[in-house]
Amino acid sequence: MAHARSRPIALEDSGLLAIGFLALAGAVLAAHSSPATGYELSLYSGTPLSFWLLFGCAVSIALAVGFRAATVWSRRIALVLTGGALAVFVGLPILRGYRFYGAGDALTHLGWIRGIKWGTFEPLELRYPAIHTVSNLISVTLGIDLAQASLLLIVLLSCLFALFVALATSVLFENRFSAVAGAFGAFLLLPVTNLSTFIVLHAMTQAILFSSVSVYLLLKYVRNDHSPDGSSGVGWLLAITSVAMVVYHPQLAAHFLVMFIGIVAVQYLYRRYRPDHPIAEHQSIVGQSVVLLTAFLVWIANHGFFGDVVGYAISSAAAYFFGGGDAASSVDSQSSSLSEIGATLLEMVVKLLGPSLLFGLLASLLVLAALLNDDLTRRTDGVLPYFVVSMIGLAGLFGLYFFGSYSAMYFRVFGLMMLLTTIAGAAAIAYGMQSVSENYSMTAVYSVVVVGFGVVLLLSLLVVYPSPFIYQASPHITDASLEGHETMFEHNDEEVPFVGIRSGPHRYEDVTHAKYDRTLPYAGISGEEIEEGISRQYESDRYLTVTQSDREREVVSYKELRYTEDQLESISSQPGVNRVQSNGEFELYYVHGTANGSSDS
């Protein structure tokens, strides 16, 4: 009888899910039918409104059906729709026909991907060759361009992240809502902060997404039934992923070592002082820690840069505490810049980290509830102390980098913390829904959760891609810009150095020449120097590069903070400055230095 009553609901779910998949297919068609014709300052505004309407419809249906579905299969299909929506969102640069998406480090990584294909160097010469090797594999397998293959890799890793966050949430706390809460928690992409982790080709970000597999296997491993010799299929998989993590990024592996050491300590203390606690019966991870440590030490023996990173951070932190240090200088600098363009640090924290702080609160409430509720401790098999000690260890690393004034590297640690926070926060939502439903109608609970998740999802996805909304410019690399730089490097006079707006084209040289060694940054010319006269700034000749992205970034995103529109427009008409190359997205000027006596001509 109960089964008969549930059947109409299941049929309703089927109809909604069909509409959801049709809406998602329509969104894909809308995006693909409106390719970018030039540089786009914002991927959001450049993508047609029809895409966002259809995409929003698909996500809303996935949310509603996922949490409310009457049958297991309806929930599973809703999760498939969720994964498809995530793939479409992360794959927007591909759907919109972008040549490449990612400036800065991403261009250098693309150069290394090319270098591996061209045989310039071997993959093992790189400090973290995983994303470069896998991109080449995707390119060869699918017969697509290397740049597109690297963008596809980001899509695949994002979907992998969503899958294993959902699985890990179900392992941490299992009920009918766990997987859905985990999947949509992953959809928030909280590890991507645009502060030191990005949705572009970026080794640390992709390593964090991949490490969701390790977190899931770790939770399975400590709670699993094992053979008498302590081995298991899960254990072998965890060991393999630990080695793979080192190859993805040894710095992330070091962060995981801090987590593992904390968990080993917790297991020892509970076995000694709380033998009645579930942790006392867990499988020890001492062996897994040894595997990770061994792989890490073997790898950095041939790539010793990590020791320099840690050494610098420790010495800088010590200098701060004992006098003479300069902690958080980058934060102060950013705060000043934001103030000059009419923004505030609080505004940026709310925009960039609001959903992260909310999930952090939910995770904290789950831990508190476990302390007060033995039943929740039993339901989670006592693993929440692992999350707590891991977060404490990572917070210590965050402080080390922060007080060591090591650029914004502390937000790399924050990205990993957000992986753990996503899992614990999603488990808190699943637990809260079950608890609240005992006193309130499920219809009310579904409505609050679906609407709440929808709002948080909107706020989070708005800041995944850089845009003027967060006072950043899109790292969109157009065909014209890439080809213009390649032509320039093919024909330039090697005796004449480059200058650029903020910085020179050294990243484009990385991607053009595909060398193992990074090109040293070129000099930049300031807005004041442009106004004073470009050729007067140099005794010898220079090349000056200006791209469309430079113009829109400085004038629109940064609101003429360092360069005004008039200053940039004056370049082509200045004496001693000749335009020698232009294709609409890229301009190359030859600047005659004062030694040639041409600055006043």
Side-chain angles (χ1 to χ4, degrees), residues 253-428:
H255 297 166
F256 259 83
L257 275 173
V258 172
M259 292 169 47
F260 276 28
I261 291 171
I263 293 173
V264 168
V266 165
Q267 289 183 330
Y268 170 78
L269 292 173
Y270 273 94
R271 287 195 180 100
R272 184 175 178 85
Y273 299 107
R274 290 283 306 278
D276 58 328
H277 194 277
I279 286 180
E281 302 298 323
H282 285 178
Q283 175 73 17
S284 171
I285 67 162
V286 171
Q288 294 292 336
S289 301
V290 171
V291 170
L292 180 58
L293 177 61
T294 301
F296 175 74
L297 292 176
V298 169
W299 186 259
I300 67 170
N302 295 319
H303 305 84
F305 78 106
F306 185 76
D308 297 334
V309 171
V310 173
Y312 176 81
I314 292 175
S315 62
S316 298
Y320 171 77
F321 286 110
F322 293 105
D326 183 25
S329 59
S330 63
V331 175
D332 293 337
S333 175
Q334 292 296 324
S335 299
S336 299
S337 298
L338 287 171
S339 298
E340 290 184 46
I341 61 177
T344 65
L345 185 60
L346 177 60
E347 175 191 348
M348 295 306 296
V349 168
V350 172
K351 285 182 176 179
L352 293 176
L353 304 178
S356 300
L357 297 176
L358 175 61
F359 259 62
L361 175 62
L362 291 174
S364 300
L365 291 176
L366 182 68
V367 172
L368 179 61
L371 292 175
L372 302 174
N373 188 336
D374 290 338
D375 179 65
L376 180 57
T377 298
R378 180 184 57 79
R379 290 285 303 275
T380 59
D381 202 22
V383 300
L384 284 173
Y386 296 156
F387 282 78
V388 174
V389 73
S390 296
M391 294 293 280
I392 291 173
L394 293 175
L397 280 175
F398 184 97
L400 177 65
Y401 289 133
F402 181 84
F403 290 110
S405 300
Y406 209 101
S407 185
M409 194 170 287
Y410 37 87
F411 278 109
R412 291 186 175 187
V413 182
F414 185 81
L416 178 56
M417 295 170 74
M418 284 303 100
L419 165 58
L420 301 179
T421 299
T422 299
I423 296 169

Side-chain angles (χ1 to χ4, degrees), residues 97-353:
Y98 281 19
R99 173 66 180 273
F100 187 63
Y101 190 79
D105 285 352
L107 284 172
T108 300
H109 287 304
L110 180 58
W112 284 340
I113 292 172
R114 288 179 165 185
I116 290 174
K117 181 175 182 178
W118 297 347
T120 306
F121 51 83
E122 295 298 322
L124 292 180
E125 294 182 54
L126 293 175
R127 293 164 176 171
Y128 24 75
I131 60 173
H132 314 89
T133 306
V134 176
S135 294
N136 268 283
L137 180 61
I138 293 173
S139 174
V140 172
T141 302
L142 301 181
I144 59 178
D145 175 72
L146 288 174
Q148 294 294 294
S150 66
L151 297 180
L152 183 57
L153 171 63
I154 299 171
V155 176
L156 295 176
L157 285 174
S158 297
C159 292
L160 186 80
F161 172 75
L163 171 63
F164 282 94
V165 165
L167 291 174
T169 302
S170 296
V171 173
L172 176 59
F173 180 84
E174 185 175 7
N175 67 10
R176 58 178 292 191
F177 309 113
S178 300
V180 179
F184 277 99
F187 204 159
L188 298 174
L189 293 170
L190 297 184
V192 178
T193 62
N194 275 310
L195 296 169
S196 195
T197 50
F198 314 93
I199 198 71
V200 299
L201 191 63
H202 185 257
M204 178 58 81
T205 305
Q206 273 79 68
I208 292 173
L209 297 179
F210 174 80
S211 68
S212 59
V213 182
S214 296
V215 173
Y216 164 72
L217 291 174
L218 175 64
L219 292 175
K220 289 286 289 185
Y221 179 77
V222 296
R223 301 177 63 178
N224 217 4
D225 294 329
H226 297 275
S227 59
D229 63 355
S231 64
S232 71
V234 174
W236 282 108
L237 288 174
L238 179 57
I240 292 171
T241 57
S242 293
V243 175
M245 195 192 319
V246 173
V247 180
Y248 263 95
H249 208 300
Q251 186 181 19
L252 180 70
H255 297 166
F256 259 83
L257 275 173
V258 172
M259 292 169 47
F260 276 28
I261 291 171
I263 293 173
V264 168
V266 165
Q267 289 183 330
Y268 170 78
L269 292 173
Y270 273 94
R271 287 195 180 100
R272 184 175 178 85
Y273 299 107
R274 290 283 306 278
D276 58 328
H277 194 277
I279 286 180
E281 302 298 323
H282 285 178
Q283 175 73 17
S284 171
I285 67 162
V286 171
Q288 294 292 336
S289 301
V290 171
V291 170
L292 180 58
L293 177 61
T294 301
F296 175 74
L297 292 176
V298 169
W299 186 259
I300 67 170
N302 295 319
H303 305 84
F305 78 106
F306 185 76
D308 297 334
V309 171
V310 173
Y312 176 81
I314 292 175
S315 62
S316 298
Y320 171 77
F321 286 110
F322 293 105
D326 183 25
S329 59
S330 63
V331 175
D332 293 337
S333 175
Q334 292 296 324
S335 299
S336 299
S337 298
L338 287 171
S339 298
E340 290 184 46
I341 61 177
T344 65
L345 185 60
L346 177 60
E347 175 191 348
M348 295 306 296
V349 168
V350 172
K351 285 182 176 179
L352 293 176
L353 304 178

Side-chain angles (χ1 to χ4, degrees), residues 522-553:
Y522 295 116
I525 186 169
S526 69
E528 291 77 11
E529 289 172 331
I530 293 174
E531 199 163 335
E532 292 170 2
I534 299 174
S535 63
R536 294 179 180 179
Q537 309 303 319
Y538 309 104
E539 290 189 2
S540 59
D541 296 350
R542 294 288 191 278
Y543 287 115
L544 171 62
T545 61
V546 182
T547 64
Q548 185 63 26
S549 61
D550 289 333
R551 297 178 184 277
E552 298 201 31
R553 179 189 67 232

